[in-house]
Amino acid sequence: MDRLLLLVIVAAAASVVAALVQRRGPDAPVRTGWTVPDQLDRADFARPEVPWLVAVFTSATCQSCAAVLERARPLESSEVAVVEVEVGTDAVVHERYQIDAVPLVVIADAAGVTRAHHLGPVSATHLWGSLAEVREPGSTPEGCGNH
């Protein structure tokens, strides 16, 4: 009789554990990409009155960020603001736009709409081509927009 009672208790305990395991929610989704903002508030950046913004999100500890910023700087003009947004200096801006990977270059229009972006190291040619294409669609030779 004692064995039967022990068997019933073990079976009940196993049933409770099985029910708890089944009720557990699904696993968290696997991350498949990085956050790129769809829209920027131009007031968060220098020279909000110019038609185009090239925001370069960086980190002082990022080895490729300095090179990307140097490639972006020559894009500066009377119609294009190039702004570095370094996480140590501008952490609030990084948090606001949920920037979770650098270097990130965002090209935004006068309304702050992201028109192009580059995540990771990027060549000067690709930066110039992206800016040219958003400013004047069709200006980039066919096939260049796929890189």
Side-chain angles (χ1 to χ4, degrees):
M1 185 71 164
D2 288 337
R3 287 184 178 174
L4 181 59
L5 181 61
L6 180 62
L7 183 60
V8 169
I9 292 172
V10 169
S15 295
V16 169
V17 169
L20 289 174
V21 168
Q22 285 182 338
R23 286 181 41 185
R24 189 186 83 178
D27 291 335
V30 175
R31 183 179 194 126
T32 60
W34 304 105
T35 302
V36 176
D38 293 326
Q39 178 96 29
L40 302 175
D41 182 347
R42 291 292 304 271
D44 289 340
F45 303 90
R47 300 179 59 212
E49 73 284 356
V50 300
W52 295 97
L53 169 67
V54 176
V56 184
F57 292 90
T58 66
S59 169
T61 61
C62 165
Q63 293 182 359
S64 60
C65 291
V68 170
L69 181 61
E70 285 305 308
R71 291 180 190 122
R73 289 249 186 248
L75 299 173
E76 181 86 30
S77 72
S78 61
E79 294 195 2
V80 179
V82 175
V83 179
E84 178 182 16
V85 188
E86 198 276 324
V87 69
T89 306
D90 299 310
V92 171
V93 177
H94 274 251
E95 288 173 23
R96 180 174 183 181
Y97 297 108
Q98 300 176 347
I99 304 302
D100 48 13
V102 292
L104 171 63
V105 178
V106 176
I107 300 173
D109 62 18
V113 176
T114 298
R115 303 290 300 274
H117 74 276
H118 295 275
L119 181 59
V122 61
S123 71
T125 303
H126 285 109
L127 285 175
W128 282 87
S130 293
L131 184 60
E133 185 62 28
V134 298
R135 290 178 72 185
E136 200 174 315
S139 63
T140 304
E142 192 172 323
C144 288
N146 299 333
H147 303 291

